[in-house]
Amino acid sequence: MPALQLTGLEGGAIRSQDWLDGRPAVLNLWATWCAPCRTEMPSLQRLEALLAPEGIRVLALSVDSDHNLVREFVLKYGITLPVSIANSPSQAMAALGVIALPQTLYVGADGRILGSHLGQRDWADPATVREVRGRFAAKTPTKP
């Protein structure tokens, strides 16, 4: 996982490594102007609830340039999963190899990117949840 400078929803600076917190993560890159991104956000919220007991985090990294739009979206739709905003959207997308949105990365506890999924998806679908769990099975230890 490349070092990225992020901003939290409350405005504080965050380093990507600190945000990952040494735990495996499903990292979704999205934007408020991206219709498929908005559509899949509720299922990402459900995925987070399903994976939390296993120590796998679901994180949403916005590549919006208007931080207020991100805050408004999160409040309006009751999104409670951790959301940060890339300080330089184009730099973050290039560093992560993202060419279109939404794109979701599977990041191991050691910070290695284990794979990715491009496009909208129902993240709470049982087959998808099994596939996501399989991405992390025996690959990286979870942080207590």
Side-chain angles (χ1 to χ4, degrees):
M1 180 72 183
L4 302 172
Q5 294 300 314
L6 312 174
T7 300
L9 284 180
E10 302 305 316
I14 302 171
R15 291 180 336 129
S16 55
Q17 293 84 352
D18 296 336
W19 194 43
L20 289 170
D21 194 29
R23 294 188 289 175
V26 175
L27 175 62
N28 179 264
L29 280 88
W30 70 288
T32 58
W33 47 261
C34 165
C37 300
R38 292 191 312 268
T39 300
E40 76 174 357
M41 193 59 70
S43 70
L44 282 163
Q45 185 77 46
R46 289 191 300 280
L47 179 67
E48 195 238 358
L50 294 168
L51 297 180
E54 298 160 49
I56 301 170
R57 301 179 75 205
V58 177
L59 307 170
L61 176 56
S62 171
V63 293
D64 281 275
S65 54
D66 185 336
H67 295 194
N68 287 326
L69 285 178
V70 178
R71 289 182 195 99
E72 288 171 10
F73 178 89
V74 167
L75 287 172
K76 180 177 179 180
Y77 293 100
I79 303 302
T80 59
L81 57 93
V83 176
S84 284
I85 306 162
N87 288 357
S88 172
S90 60
Q91 182 182 42
M93 289 180 67
L96 294 169
V98 174
I99 57 171
L101 297 176
Q103 184 153 352
T104 304
L105 306 175
Y106 308 106
V107 183
D110 60 359
R112 278 185 314 118
I113 296 175
L114 306 172
S116 68
H117 176 82
L118 177 61
Q120 179 183 334
R121 183 173 212 183
D122 179 358
W123 291 98
D125 174 75
T128 300
V129 174
R130 278 192 303 278
E131 187 235 314
V132 170
R133 284 182 172 130
R135 296 271 183 171
F136 297 103
K139 289 192 172 45
T140 54
T142 59
K143 185 177 181 177

